[in-house]
C-alpha cells in the first residue's frame, strides 16, 4: 500500500444508486480489455443483472467512497442456503495498491456473516492475477490446480469458511469479526 485509507468509508447501496455507476462502468472497461468482448456488451450484462440478487436479505452491494467518489466496491448474492457468492469486486485503476480491495472483502465478509452464511464462494478469470493474489492473501482456498498455467485452468474458483456461532470463542460477536 502506498497511501493511507483512513479517509474512506463504505456504504451499502442498490445497484441503481449513482455511487454504483463507476463500479459498473470501470468493470465493463476492465473486462472488455482483458477478455475481448465490447465494453457496451459487458456493461449491458452488468446493468441488466437482476438488482434483487444483490439486495438484502440474501445479498448486498458495497461501495467504498472517498471524498464523495466511488473508489472500490463489490457485492455478494445467495449461492445456496449456507453460501454467499462474491461478485463484482473492483478497485478503480487510479486507486489501486492502497488496500481498498481488502477493505471491500473485510466489510463484505462481515455482512455475509451477519446475513447468516457460513461459507463464501467466488470465481475470477484467468487474466486477473491481481484478484487471485488478493483472494489468496485474504485466506481463500483455491478450488483449482495452482501448478497449472492460468489459461489452462480457465475460471478460478475459491472458497472460504466463515466462523459460525459454534466455531467462535465464547463472547465473540460477529461485529468483532469486522476488525479481523
Amino acid at each position: 500500500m502506498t497511501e493511507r485509507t483512513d479517509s474512506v468509508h463504505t456504504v451499502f447501496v442498490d445497484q441503481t444508486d449513482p455511487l454504483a455507476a463507476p463500479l459498473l462502468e470501470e468493470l465493463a472497461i476492465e473486462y472488455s480489455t482483458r477478455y475481448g468482448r465490447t465494453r457496451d456488451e459487458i456493461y449491458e450484462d452488468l446493468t441488466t443483472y437482476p438488482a434483487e440478487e444483490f439486495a438484502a436479505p440474501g445479498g448486498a452491494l458495497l461501495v467504498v467512497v472517498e471524498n464523495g467518489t466511488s473508489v472500490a466496491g463489490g457485492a455478494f448474492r445467495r449461492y445456496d442456503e449456507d453460501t454467499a457468492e462474491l461478485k463484482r469486486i473492483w478497485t478503480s485503476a487510479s486507486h489501486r495498491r492502497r488496500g481498498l480491495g481488502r477493505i471491500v472483502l473485510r466489510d463484505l465478509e462481515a455482512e455475509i456473516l451477519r446475513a447468516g452464511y457460513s461459507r463464501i464462494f467466488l470465481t475470477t478469470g484467468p487474466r486477473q492475477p491481481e484478484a487471485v493474489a488478493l483472494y489468496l492473501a485474504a485466506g481463500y482456498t483455491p478450488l483449482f490446480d495452482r501448478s497449472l498455467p492460468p489459461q489452462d485452468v480457465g475460471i478460478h474458483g475459491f472458497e472460504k469458511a466463515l466462523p459460525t456461532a459454534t466455531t467462535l470463542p465464547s463472547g465473540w460477536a460477529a461485529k468483532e469479526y469486522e476488525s479481523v
Side-chain angles (χ1 to χ4, degrees):
M1 288 184 284
T2 58
E3 298 179 44
R4 295 178 52 100
T5 57
D6 56 354
S7 64
V8 302
H9 67 279
T10 58
V11 60
F12 287 94
V13 299
D14 181 82
Q15 180 172 288
T16 60
D17 190 291
L19 286 173
L23 181 152
L24 301 174
E25 291 165 7
E26 277 202 42
L27 273 177
I29 294 166
E30 187 85 23
Y31 291 165
S32 173
T33 302
R34 293 189 190 215
Y35 297 105
R37 291 177 53 210
T38 71
R39 177 245 176 246
D40 291 343
E41 290 172 323
I42 294 170
Y43 184 76
E44 182 175 345
D45 287 348
L46 291 170
T47 57
T48 60
Y49 203 86
E52 61 271 9
E53 295 263 338
F54 304 119
L61 191 147
L62 172 141
V63 176
V64 178
V65 179
E66 181 175 52
N67 300 321
T69 301
S70 301
V71 295
F76 74 89
R77 65 181 184 170
R78 179 185 179 92
Y79 186 77
D80 65 32
E81 183 178 317
D82 301 314
T83 309
E85 180 182 20
L86 287 179
K87 302 290 284 182
R88 302 179 178 180
I89 306 299
W90 159 82
T91 301
S92 172
S94 61
H95 292 276
R96 292 183 179 156
R97 308 288 311 153
R98 295 179 52 197
L100 297 174
R102 289 181 189 186
I103 291 171
V104 170
L105 286 180
R106 179 197 68 202
D107 288 5
L108 285 174
E109 288 176 3
E111 189 66 19
I112 288 167
L113 192 59
R114 278 192 290 276
Y117 295 108
S118 60
R119 177 178 174 263
I120 299 173
F121 171 76
L122 68 93
T123 60
T124 193
R127 296 181 182 161
Q128 294 173 262
E130 309 90 336
V132 170
L134 172 66
Y135 302 132
L136 290 172
Y140 285 77
T141 302
L143 302 173
F144 57 92
D145 184 346
R146 291 184 60 204
S147 69
L148 295 174
Q151 288 304 115
D152 290 353
V153 171
I155 299 300
H156 290 52
F158 289 87
E159 69 178 354
K160 185 176 189 178
L162 295 175
T164 63
T166 59
T167 62
L168 292 173
S170 178
W172 205 68
K175 181 107 173 113
E176 293 179 54
Y177 181 74
E178 294 178 29
S179 63
V180 173

